[in-house]
Amino acid sequence: MVLGPLTTAELRTAVTGPAKAVGLELEPGLAELIVREVSTGGPRGAHDAGVLPLLSHALLATWQRRKTGKLTLAGYRAAGGIQGAVAATAERAWSGLDPAARSAARLLLLRLVHLGEDTQATRRRGTRRQLAAESANPDKTEESLEALVRARLVTLDADTVEITHEALLHAWPRLRDWIDADRGDHLLRQRLEEDGRAWEDSGRDAALLYRGSRLERARAWAESAGDTFLTRGAAEFLAASAGLRRRILWISRGAVAALVALALVAVVSAVVASQQRNDAVAGRNDAVFEQVTAQADRAQSTDPSLSAQLDLVAHRLRPDDEGTRNRLISIVNAPLATPLLGHTGAVYLTSFSPDGRLLATASYDRTVRLWDVRDRSRPKPLGKPLTGHGSWVSTAVFSPDGTTLASASDDGTIRLWDVRDPHRPRPLGKPVTGHGGTIYLLAFGPDGRTLASASEDHTVGLWDVRRPSRPKALGSLTGHTAAVRSVAFSPDGRTLAAGGDNGTIRLWDTAEPRRPKPVGRVLTGHKDTVHSVAFDHEGRTLASGGSDNTVRLWNVTDPRRATSLGPPLTGHTGPVWSVAFNPAGTMLAAASADSTASLWNVRDPAHPSQVGVELSGSGGEVYALGFSPDGRTLATGSGDNKVRLWSIPTSDMIGRIGSFRPDGKVLATAARDEKVRLWDVRRPERPEALSKPFKPGAGAVRTPTFSPDGDTLAVLTGARAVRLWNVSDPSRPVSYGPAVELRTRFAAAMAFSPDGRVLATAYDDRTVRLWNVSDPARPRPLGAPLTGHKGYVNDLAFSPDGRTLASGSSDATLRLWNVADPRRVTPLGKPLTGHLGPVNTLVLSPDGKTLASGSDDSTVRLWDITDPRRANRLGKPLTGHTDALVSLTFSEDGRTLASGGNDNTVRLWDVRRPARTAPIGQSMSPNAKTGSFLSFSPHGHMLGVSSGTDTVRLWNLDTDEAIRRICSTTQGVLTPENWREYLPRLSYAPPCER
């Protein structure tokens, strides 16, 4: 059976599942260590199927060293881990070959290794036919290949041959010695084989044969190495080169005229060869560039931070390439991470100090580490790790005043530390005991006087820590029937929530910590262990994450009557270890065993929606996460021993559609909750709500549209009505009066004339009507409805001079109308046809000469309407989207058109010459569904984009700003090891260090 790549979660299951099936346990940390070793040298987040045979050797050896039904770290290390298993297996296979087969095996393996001038050796693929055909001893090559395949050191995939795992290159001493010994000779052999293949592929072009000193070096090496290490193709190439040399020497002894003629031929050949070399260099540069972009794409879904760095490498290689520019812009709002290295075990908890200057991390390596994170782009470790616990450390949290740090451990103790001088933290008093078994989590009350602890002994402990050097027990909260895994105080300190192994959450009234009382009913819903609970900033919403792979939200405004808020949040494929709200309570983060973390927009907790794609890049389960006090950074801890500081987008706004005010300073959005929100976007990196959300009427809001002066907002609702709002003071929107009733069912089109005195709307599904809105409180119809369309009217747009109105319909046509006199509208010319499906969106260029339309047929069409009576198509349809077009927008200067489709991409088009419109680079992904909102900000270098079920983002289109952000948020990601894996053909040159 041919297996595809495994995800980290699947690989972990391959390790733990068989053990569990026969009643064996894995020592904590063993699975993480194995996954990390397997990941070395392999793609992040996915593992070659070929690693499984090597893994089986290591696990067998570990099982043979088991202790009392448990596979241990010590047993795994004693077996040598993956590398030890590889070396032992390889040596056994080698020793079973006869001398001739060993020589063939040596050449075979070296030919499956790629050597770079300045890089480590890496695997490369070959074909069975080619390896045998080019070998000097095909029979022995086949024999050695079969032996290596049986030993699972080499993998056969159809006709492809490849070394099973990168580990073999450095784990097997014999192969490592072959590679390292006479590296220069190996590079010469490799080049000779490649040049021989190129000569053969070109039809044995004599111009590609070796000459002069290059031929001498190759012949000298071949004579010293012997035929054993020379492929048949390379031998024939050298023989032909030597034959050419002999012919040239023979001809040189001829007449002077012949010599002159030969010289001329040589000059021409040199010119041709030079050109070929130049072409070859250009070809290699193209190949390197393509490799970099391909590797960036490969890493996008598993490690966006690494992908961003690789995109930056591509940009350095081709600064003027529009495709790489678009890549940088499209990730400018994606979460990116800087890794913190130092722990030698899984990181179980991350906690920021109240001022955001410090980060504490607790680890399986039995230590707590403090980090200086004042400069998030260059975090630094502070002092020595805090030691003293006798087993793995589960938690480390700061007191509300930031002067005390509390840690707890599997050893059943709590330790308190004075961290007023974080360079020299000191223990406070003796370790606190009282629980039986592991203490999983600690939480300070908001006043800093009380500490709560969740324990394996089925209880929550309360401690008086007003004097941290002498904490006192206040009692235990009982009721759980299994281990308590999580605990959290509400912001006012009056309620405490705890979740545990029995899948339930209990609430206690802790207004008087000495007399806590259970509150309300036990919260049920999770089907397995509740690993984490967290209150939002107001204490109205409680979030919980569990082993059933879900997150649940609870309304705890009145803890006595707590209720579930909607269905569970799903999407993770492993247990949810941790949940946390940002300080503003607008975003929820969840960390999972599936090696990812997710972000959720919870501005409206009753209608949460996932924001963007998952945060990935971890080589192990994501156990911990915590927001910084400013909400701009999320710290995660994972099973690969790393802490990551994620830069979290702060430009997210709730909404699915929107409209910019003409001055670009305010954005109106409409969300699933049928409410409109007004945002101050003068600081696009941190938009602020200008007023409370308001509901303009019954039904969903379809098309919020500003008047040209920005003082009026027209809103079309699902209740077949238009309502006008006075938003001259956006902090106090006021309705002008009763709604204007329409007869539409599905049509949702609306547009203001440039002078703001006329509003065009769909009237019923197939007609258009104009309204006099000079007095917004008393809109009046103008003339009769405009008829002609045979399908729903989907969009409307006025020309800049206000004399022409364009309409797009589901009947696949566009119509132009003369609205110079809005009381007597007449059609202009014939309907514009060409689209093969409904016209969903249209937009006019700022100069009014070009109309763009987008359709269900996945194309954009441009129309010349300089003379609206004789409008005509411009050029060919713009293709590239793979699903329906739903949004179009022109930049303020009219030079760029942006299109958004249901294929979740945004494309930019150069429309300076509309008849010859060309794409600007590749498509850009907003990291989630684009929705139907896409708009250039007036007077700004921003693009508003729907980026999720109910999320609108602002994209900064400044490439330099994108580069600055990538460099400031992904320090340390593109390590020399990653470089060798992803960019073996380039010398190490991190793009942010230039």
Side-chain angles (χ1 to χ4, degrees):
M1 178 178 292
V2 178
L3 296 178
L6 281 76
T7 65
T8 296
E10 289 170 341
L11 182 64
R12 181 182 174 86
T13 302
V15 173
T16 60
K20 184 177 180 180
V22 295
L24 290 173
E25 295 181 10
L26 270 71
E27 185 177 3
L30 177 57
E32 289 77 13
L33 175 61
I34 292 173
V35 169
R36 186 169 65 254
E37 286 202 359
V38 169
S39 299
T40 303
R44 296 301 181 260
H47 312 275
D48 292 342
V51 76
L52 294 178
L54 309 182
L55 179 60
S56 71
H57 287 298
L59 290 175
L60 173 62
T62 305
W63 174 77
Q64 291 168 341
R65 293 166 174 81
R66 66 193 181 280
K67 291 185 177 179
T68 61
K70 180 178 288 187
L71 303 183
T72 65
L73 284 162
Y76 179 75
R77 292 188 173 114
I82 293 289
Q83 295 193 7
V86 169
T89 301
E91 200 61 28
R92 283 195 301 271
W94 168 262
S95 62
L97 298 174
D98 62 42
R102 290 180 184 179
S103 297
R106 179 176 178 179
L107 179 59
L108 172 68
L109 289 169
L110 288 174
R111 289 172 66 199
L112 295 175
V113 174
H114 175 79
L115 293 175
E117 295 287 348
D118 302 311
T119 60
Q120 287 189 357
T122 56
R123 295 180 295 166
R124 71 173 176 186
R125 291 181 176 181
T127 67
R128 187 170 190 165
R129 178 193 57 78
Q130 185 183 57
L131 291 170
E134 291 186 353
S135 172
N137 191 338
D139 292 337
K140 288 300 179 182
T141 297
E142 281 287 343
E143 180 184 336
S144 63
L145 177 60
E146 290 293 340
L148 294 172
V149 170
R150 284 196 302 272
R152 302 180 179 182
L153 302 173
V154 169
T155 301
L156 279 175
D157 180 4
D159 192 43
T160 301
V161 181
E162 184 179 24
I163 290 175
T164 298
H165 194 261
E166 209 87 37
L168 185 64
L169 305 185
H170 51 81
W172 186 18
R174 188 181 297 276
L175 178 57
R176 188 173 63 242
D177 291 343
W178 290 342
I179 294 171
D180 293 339
D182 301 320
R183 186 180 183 91
D185 288 348
H186 289 316
L187 287 169
L188 195 154
R189 172 192 56 76
Q190 183 175 279
R191 174 53 62 188
L192 180 60
E193 292 175 5
E194 292 173 354
D195 291 342
R197 282 193 290 270
W199 171 69
E200 191 69 41
D201 293 341
S202 69
R204 300 199 169 194
D205 187 348
L208 300 180
L209 295 173
Y210 284 359
R211 295 171 176 80
S213 60
R214 194 174 189 187
L215 174 59
E216 289 302 323
R217 286 198 303 272
R219 291 185 66 187
W221 171 79
E223 290 173 0
S224 64
D227 293 339
T228 304
F229 297 102
L230 198 63
T231 64
R232 185 178 300 171
E236 292 176 358
F237 177 74
L238 271 183
S241 297
L244 177 62
R245 181 186 181 190
R246 286 193 298 272
R247 289 193 299 274
I248 292 173
L249 289 174
W250 179 79
I251 292 172
S252 67
R253 298 188 183 101
V256 174
L259 182 61
V260 172
L262 183 61
L264 291 174
V265 172
V267 169
V268 173
S269 298
V271 171
V272 173
S274 175
Q275 184 60 48
Q276 288 175 335
R277 283 194 297 272
N278 290 340
D279 291 344
V281 169
R284 283 196 293 271
N285 290 341
D286 289 344
V288 169
F289 177 79
E290 294 296 335
Q291 180 199 27
V292 175
T293 55
Q295 295 289 36
D297 290 340
R298 167 188 166 194
Q300 178 60 52
S301 61
T302 56
D303 193 343
S305 303
L306 176 59
S307 178
Q309 281 279 334
L310 294 173
D311 281 330
L312 200 48
V313 172
H315 178 70
R316 300 297 191 201
L317 291 174
R318 290 188 182 176
D320 297 327
D321 184 79
E322 293 289 358
T324 58
R325 174 181 174 272
N326 283 4
R327 286 171 176 271
L328 298 178
I329 292 173
S330 66
I331 59 176
V332 72
N333 272 311
L336 301 174
T338 297
L340 279 62
L341 307 178
H343 281 296
T344 59
V347 179
Y348 291 139
L349 197 115
T350 57
S351 174
F352 282 93
S353 61
D355 60 8
R357 298 161 67 92
L358 301 177
L359 177 72
T361 56
S363 171
Y364 181 80
D365 63 11
R366 303 187 180 189
T367 71
V368 174
R369 285 180 175 266
L370 296 178
W371 311 81
D372 180 346
V373 291
R374 288 175 293 180
D375 181 353
R376 303 287 161 79
S377 66
R378 290 178 174 80
K380 299 178 293 187
L382 284 173
K384 296 180 179 180
L386 308 187
T387 60
H389 284 294
S391 187
W392 49 273
V393 184
S394 58
T395 181
V397 293
F398 287 96
S399 61
D401 62 7
T403 62
T404 304
L405 182 75
S407 62
S409 167
D410 177 55
D411 64 8
T413 67
I414 300 171
R415 288 177 176 264
L416 298 173
W417 311 81
D418 183 341
V419 290
R420 285 177 291 185
D421 179 358
H423 292 87
R424 298 177 182 82
R426 59 184 183 86
L428 290 168
K430 297 179 180 179
V432 179
T433 60
H435 280 298
T438 304
I439 299 175
Y440 290 111
L441 204 66
L442 297 175
F444 275 100
D447 61 5
R449 297 180 176 185
T450 307
L451 182 70
S453 55
S455 172
E456 188 179 18
D457 65 6
H458 305 185
T459 69
V460 174
L462 293 180
W463 312 85
D464 182 344
V465 289
R466 285 178 291 182
R467 297 179 62 188
S469 59
R470 294 183 180 178
K472 297 179 181 179
L474 292 173
S476 296
L477 307 182
T478 60
H480 279 283
T481 58
V484 183
R485 298 274 181 167
S486 52
V487 64
F489 280 100
S490 62
D492 62 7
R494 301 180 65 88
T495 305
L496 182 142
D501 281 6
N502 61 1
T504 66
I505 302 168
R506 289 177 175 266
L507 302 178
W508 279 272
D509 181 345
T510 51
E512 296 183 48
R514 294 182 179 277
R515 298 179 181 84
K517 298 176 291 185
V519 177
R521 63 182 182 85
V522 176
L523 304 184
T524 60
H526 282 289
K527 299 177 182 178
D528 207 335
T529 300
V530 177
H531 289 290
S532 181
V533 290
F535 284 94
D536 72 346
H537 67 307
E538 294 180 332
R540 295 173 176 270
T541 305
L542 179 73
S544 57
S547 284
D548 57 3
N549 306 352
T550 69
V551 175
R552 286 183 173 269
L553 296 177
W554 312 84
N555 184 343
V556 290
T557 305
D558 180 354
R560 296 168 298 178
R561 297 177 179 84
T563 57
S564 176
L565 280 169
L569 311 186
T570 59
H572 283 294
T573 58
V576 176
W577 291 115
S578 184
V579 293
F581 285 96
N582 68 349
T586 57
M587 182 177 288
L588 176 72
S592 171
D594 64 9
S595 302
T596 70
S598 58
L599 300 175
W600 300 82
N601 187 334
V602 290
R603 290 179 186 269
D604 179 2
H607 300 91
S609 61
Q610 188 170 355
V611 178
V613 295
E614 289 80 8
L615 279 59
S616 56
S618 169
E621 302 186 21
V622 183
Y623 291 111
L625 47 74
F627 279 99
S628 60
D630 63 6
R632 306 184 73 165
T633 305
L634 182 73
T636 61
S638 53
D640 60 3
N641 308 347
K642 293 180 182 178
V643 178
R644 290 175 173 82
L645 297 182
W646 295 86
S647 62
I648 300 302
T650 55
S651 64
D652 288 345
M653 292 164 279
I654 188 169
R656 54 185 180 81
I657 52 176
S659 174
F660 281 104
R661 199 169 71 181
D663 63 3
K665 296 179 181 179
V666 175
L667 176 69
T669 64
R672 287 186 302 167
D673 60 3
E674 302 180 358
K675 295 179 181 178
V676 173
R677 292 165 171 82
L678 300 177
W679 307 87
D680 182 344
V681 292
R682 286 175 294 181
R683 294 176 59 204
E685 74 282 357
R686 191 174 280 275
E688 297 180 359
L690 287 168
S691 65
K692 293 182 178 180
F694 61 94
K695 193 167 184 176
V701 178
R702 295 186 177 181
T703 313
T705 305
F706 278 102
S707 61
D709 62 7
D711 290 343
T712 303
L713 183 72
V715 182
L716 179 64
T717 70
R720 308 179 188 179
V722 173
R723 190 181 292 271
L724 301 179
W725 289 74
N726 184 342
V727 290
S728 55
D729 179 357
S731 64
R732 295 181 177 84
V734 178
S735 175
Y736 270 115
V740 176
E741 299 298 328
L742 304 177
R743 298 177 182 177
T744 60
R745 291 179 301 161
F746 305 109
M750 185 166 58
F752 275 102
S753 63
D755 62 7
R757 303 180 67 172
V758 176
L759 179 68
T761 71
Y763 183 58
D764 58 30
D765 283 335
R766 299 182 180 185
T767 65
V768 177
R769 186 144 210 178
L770 303 184
W771 307 84
N772 183 340
V773 289
S774 300
D775 179 0
R778 296 178 179 83
R780 301 189 308 276
L782 288 166
L786 313 184
T787 61
H789 280 299
K790 298 178 181 179
Y792 307 138
V793 178
N794 293 328
D795 206 0
L796 296 166
F798 279 95
S799 61
D801 62 8
R803 300 177 64 86
T804 305
L805 175 69
S807 58
S809 168
S810 292
D811 63 10
T813 70
L814 295 88
R815 288 179 176 264
L816 300 178
W817 311 85
N818 182 344
V819 291
D821 181 352
R823 292 167 298 182
R824 298 177 178 84
V825 178
T826 57
L828 289 167
K830 295 180 179 180
L832 305 182
T833 61
H835 280 297
L836 302 179
V839 177
N840 300 318
T841 178
L842 50 82
V843 63
L844 273 156
S845 61
D847 63 8
K849 296 179 179 180
T850 305
L851 174 67
S853 57
S855 166
D856 266 8
D857 64 10
S858 307
T859 70
V860 177
R861 285 186 176 270
L862 300 181
W863 313 82
D864 181 354
I865 60 167
T866 306
D867 181 353
R869 294 167 297 180
R870 297 178 179 85
N872 57 80
R873 274 182 265 175
L874 287 167
K876 297 180 179 180
L878 309 184
T879 59
H881 285 285
T882 59
D883 206 337
L885 268 293
V886 292
S887 49
L888 290 170
T889 178
F890 274 102
S891 59
E892 183 185 19
D893 60 11
R895 297 158 65 94
T896 305
L897 175 71
S899 58
N902 284 338
D903 57 359
N904 300 335
T905 65
V906 172
R907 288 181 173 268
L908 300 181
W909 309 88
D910 182 344
V911 289
R912 286 175 291 183
R913 292 192 295 173
R916 298 183 180 178
T917 296
I920 301 175
Q922 301 298 312
S923 64
M924 301 185 292
S925 169
N927 302 305
K929 291 185 179 297
T930 56
S932 56
F933 175 54
L934 180 69
S935 176
F936 280 103
S937 171
H939 318 301
H941 204 60
M942 306 296 297
L943 188 66
V945 186
S946 301
S947 296
T949 305
D950 218 15
T951 300
V952 168
R953 280 183 177 170
L954 297 179
W955 280 6
N956 189 329
L957 301 180
D958 185 341
T959 307
D960 292 335
E961 179 60 32
I963 293 172
R964 283 193 292 271
R965 181 173 182 271
I966 291 170
C967 286
S968 66
T969 56
T970 59
Q971 288 287 331
V973 169
L974 196 51
T975 61
E977 293 76 19
N978 278 338
W979 188 283
R980 284 193 293 271
E981 176 188 340
Y982 287 91
L983 307 174
R985 300 170 68 178
L986 292 176
S987 298
Y988 184 58
C992 291
E993 295 181 9
R994 296 187 176 186

